[in-house]
Amino acid sequence: MTLIATRDRVEGSVRRASVPGDELAAGAARRFLRATLAEWAGLGPPQDAAFAERVLDDAALVISELVTNAVVHAGTAVDILCRLDAEVWPPSGLVIEVADRHPGRVLRGSAEQHPDEREGGRGLHLVAALSDTWGVTYQRDRKTVWCRLDLTGAAAASAAAEAAARSATGAPAPHPADGGDRRPLLAPVPPEERPRRADGEWISRGSLTFLAEASDLLAGQLDEDHVASLATQLLVPRLADWCAVWLYPAGAAPRLAHVWHSVEQWIDPLRALLDKSPPTPTPRPGARSLPWPVMPCAPTERGGSLAVPLVAAGHCHGTLLLGRTGALGIPAEATGLIEDFARRVALAMGTARQYARQAMISTVLQRGLLPPATGRIPGVEHAVVYEPMAGDWVGGDFYDLFPTGDGRWCFALGDVCGSGPEAASLTGIVRPVLRLLAREGYGVSDVLDRLNKALADEAAAALIGETAAWEGGQARFLSLLYGEITPYAPGRGARCTLASAGHPLPLVLGPDGRVRPAATPQMLLGISDDARYDSESFLLAPGDTLLCVTDGVTERRRGRRQFDDDDGLAAALSGCVTLGAAGVAERIRRAVHDYDAAPPADDLALLVLQAR
């Protein structure tokens, strides 16, 4: 465990350390804290040569929770800062900051997180209870959670306990010169101690930078709830003390998506208050004044508040609410900046909703392209892996496994030329044709001959402009491994007949660990209408495993090399002798993913059949 500590320019008031993001981080942080507090205790007069025991306990508990949360949720090294909140001795507060180096942005209330996992989970409830104020600061490359522990209140509590002890024993009260506590209690979260807001000079000089950074951050969000969360955190505390976003989903009631306050203990009371009166949607942009929400926890706090419609392309996606305390409220020079910011939020919101619609369409299409559950093949165990390329709506790889009703089971593994919706459209045609021909009694060779002629005729028609067989500049060619398997009596294996049309060759793994190809290469489907395809038959003996893959497996790249160079696939399969069908499928899938740190650049599908 390595601790790296540096001294701040302000003499003795700040200490920093970095700890690795592992299970020892919390213990190292506590040791750093104790050493720091012990050193600081020597900076003051002799009568203040120690911090109250309550401060030591609370600070150790807080730093443990914050560091543990950072390690669990970010998994990076953790930077720690401890600072005395004072210009002269005695200090009034202890500030602790814990920053992780995760480049992503963890958003409070993300819909993808379990309630107990949001923003550090239950640990921050403990931090909120022990500190007089706390918050979260986001930067491009890190997230910092900070809190302030009141030293004057802790000292007063300690003095009260000592006075009670003296009263019980009859001991006289010490004179201030003898070291008695002389520090007043601290008022809870006064406005001057909250995070500093932007002033007029910053608004005039830094607004363009703020809008550019906001546009960059918003452009990376493809979920409307994330956009709402990010918008509130960008405005608070820089331009406002609190902010909220109402969303207007199509065909649904308005909902309060996110609420943020510079005093985090007031977020829930503010949400309860705002939730009672949703603003009316309006297609007209521009800020308008809003009555100040008076919270029971802050009955005397007043300021100015605005409601800004989130309008893009004539459609109102929601309303941005924000408020700023003080007699001046939100200055006039800030209103224009906020309206410009709201336009960017509205555009990001529209993009996120369009993405959500496309994702829903993609999910429906993928569900329709996947075959139904196949059931159990007598005497043969099977497993399938199907992973469209990351970022694609639907994949060009496909598989099928189905009974014909006469004791045969047919299987197919194909790869359409190209990827995405164009490839998926051909996938949606090929599978029903294969099932129809197989159930009409056609053998493996005849099925491929007829499918090839249909694809070749369509491609020829496209050349003379009669059909739209070319979509997005991609020809409708197809590599296909197609076969049928007929189980024998239990314990005797199965007869397998198959053919490979331009597809990676299937491999058979024997119980002795030997691997052999199970077919010979033939031409792609759709190239020539006079091509003829031959099938091959063999016994899949008990213990034999048939592995069928697409080129997303064999052509997985790492620099200039591919996964199947030097028979890499056969080598990976030879180590699967003791595994069942599901184990073989998972072992090969993991080997493909582990071959390179970059994500796969092609669809991936594999089918495993194992005779028992």
Side-chain angles (χ1 to χ4, degrees):
M1 174 63 63
T2 302
L3 281 176
I4 308 169
T6 59
R7 192 178 184 91
D8 194 81
R9 291 181 180 178
V10 180
E11 183 65 26
S13 65
V14 176
R15 291 292 183 271
R16 294 183 174 88
S18 294
V19 297
D22 55 26
E23 67 276 6
L24 302 179
R30 288 192 295 271
R31 291 194 296 273
F32 162 73
L33 175 69
R34 293 190 187 101
T36 298
L37 294 181
E39 179 184 357
W40 280 341
L43 298 178
Q47 67 269 19
D48 293 326
F51 288 92
E53 193 69 26
R54 177 180 171 187
V55 171
L56 297 175
D57 292 342
D58 288 356
L61 189 55
V62 164
I63 203 168
S64 296
E65 289 293 339
L66 294 182
V67 170
T68 300
N69 280 351
V71 171
V72 170
H73 293 279
T76 69
V78 179
D79 297 330
I80 305 169
L81 180 147
C82 294
R83 174 171 58 85
L84 290 177
D85 191 6
E87 295 182 0
V88 296
W89 198 270
S92 62
L94 170 64
V95 177
I96 298 174
E97 297 182 6
V98 173
D100 63 65
R101 304 173 188 175
H102 196 287
R105 194 175 181 90
V106 180
L107 299 175
R108 178 184 175 98
S110 170
E112 297 176 0
Q113 292 176 297
H114 188 276
D116 289 341
E117 296 174 350
R118 295 177 183 171
E119 201 62 65
R122 298 182 178 89
L124 289 190
H125 294 293
L126 179 61
V127 173
L130 295 178
S131 58
D132 61 354
T133 185
W134 68 283
V136 185
T137 301
Y138 292 98
Q139 295 173 303
R140 288 183 179 275
D141 60 345
R142 65 179 53 211
K143 181 187 73 174
T144 302
V145 183
W146 58 269
C147 69
R148 182 184 185 277
L149 301 179
D150 177 22
L151 299 183
T152 58
S158 177
E162 293 174 5
R166 286 193 301 270
S167 175
T169 60
H175 188 273
D178 298 327
D181 197 286
R182 305 178 298 277
R183 305 173 214 177
L185 290 175
L186 180 69
V189 200
E192 61 271 14
E193 293 189 7
R194 297 179 195 169
R196 189 175 300 276
R197 303 174 306 196
D199 54 18
E201 182 180 357
W202 179 90
I203 293 173
S204 61
R205 300 178 59 180
S207 59
L208 292 180
T209 301
F210 168 71
L211 290 174
E213 292 180 353
S215 298
D216 185 33
L217 290 170
L218 290 168
Q221 303 299 326
L222 295 176
D223 180 274
E224 63 178 357
D225 288 301
H226 287 185
V227 172
S229 181
L230 180 56
T232 61
Q233 295 171 31
L234 286 171
L235 289 178
V236 177
R238 188 173 292 175
L239 290 170
D241 289 303
W242 62 265
C243 185
V245 175
W246 278 90
L247 296 181
Y248 307 132
R255 64 184 180 90
L256 187 56
H258 199 77
V259 178
W260 195 252
H261 201 293
S262 60
V263 181
E264 300 226 1
Q265 293 94 323
W266 293 354
I267 290 178
D268 291 336
L270 179 61
R271 171 181 284 276
L273 192 62
L274 296 177
D275 201 29
K276 298 176 181 178
S277 54
T280 304
T282 174
R284 292 181 298 178
R288 67 181 188 275
S289 297
L290 188 73
W292 182 264
V294 180
M295 294 180 290
C297 56
T300 61
E301 189 161 275
R302 295 292 188 277
S305 55
L306 294 177
V308 188
L310 300 175
V311 178
H315 181 72
C316 184
H317 297 286
T319 300
L320 179 72
L321 308 179
L322 68 157
R324 183 166 170 147
T325 57
L328 297 179
I330 299 177
E333 61 267 26
T335 302
L337 174 59
I338 292 169
E339 289 177 342
D340 285 342
F341 175 78
R343 281 190 284 271
R344 286 160 172 78
V345 174
L347 289 172
M349 197 75 68
T351 300
R353 289 187 174 180
Q354 183 179 7
Y355 179 88
R357 286 192 294 270
Q358 291 175 338
M360 181 189 65
I361 293 171
S362 170
T363 301
V364 173
L365 286 176
Q366 278 190 334
R367 194 175 294 125
L369 291 174
L370 294 176
T374 57
R376 181 177 178 275
I377 306 175
V380 178
E381 182 182 348
H382 73 276
V384 175
V385 171
Y386 175 73
E387 296 179 350
M389 182 175 64
D392 254 345
W393 298 116
V394 286
D397 288 7
F398 68 94
Y399 71 93
D400 203 358
L401 180 62
F402 58 93
T404 62
D406 56 1
R408 296 179 301 138
W409 288 74
C410 296
F411 60 92
L413 196 64
D415 185 2
V416 178
C417 177
S419 60
E422 295 84 4
S425 65
L426 183 56
T427 300
I429 296 173
V430 170
R431 183 183 289 111
V433 171
L434 286 176
R435 289 191 169 218
L436 176 64
L437 293 174
R439 287 169 175 164
E440 287 293 322
Y442 290 100
V444 172
S445 298
D446 291 335
V447 168
L448 293 185
D449 288 343
R450 284 163 172 74
L451 182 59
N452 173 71
K453 190 174 188 316
L455 293 175
D457 288 346
E458 189 174 359
L463 294 177
I464 60 176
E466 293 184 2
T467 70
W470 291 72
E471 299 182 19
Q474 296 179 344
R476 296 165 76 102
F477 302 141
L478 173 68
S479 73
L480 180 67
L481 176 66
Y482 175 74
E484 58 184 36
I485 187 166
T486 304
Y488 291 141
R492 296 183 58 189
R495 176 181 175 81
C496 186
T497 302
L498 51 75
S500 176
H503 202 78
L505 298 181
L507 301 176
V508 175
L509 169 66
D512 58 358
R514 295 183 181 181
V515 178
R516 70 179 190 276
T520 55
Q522 301 181 72
M523 187 180 298
L524 278 170
L525 296 173
I527 298 292
S528 172
D529 61 355
D530 58 1
R532 295 293 179 266
Y533 294 89
D534 298 321
S535 61
E536 303 172 48
S537 297
F538 58 91
L539 171 66
L540 193 67
D544 284 351
T545 301
L546 175 67
L547 173 65
C548 312
V549 302
T550 59
D551 61 7
V553 173
T554 57
E555 296 178 6
R556 169 79 157 126
R557 301 193 70 87
R558 183 177 62 200
R560 296 185 177 181
R561 293 189 59 81
Q562 296 183 348
F563 182 74
D564 199 32
D565 286 349
D566 302 323
D567 296 324
L569 179 60
L573 181 60
S574 65
C576 301
V577 175
T578 60
L579 302 178
V584 172
E586 176 59 22
R587 174 76 64 85
I588 300 300
R589 187 199 71 83
R590 187 180 306 163
V592 173
H593 280 273
D594 293 346
Y595 186 69
D596 188 52
D602 195 4
D603 304 327
L604 185 151
L606 59 91
L607 170 67
V608 178
L609 298 171
Q610 188 177 73
R612 308 304 294 175

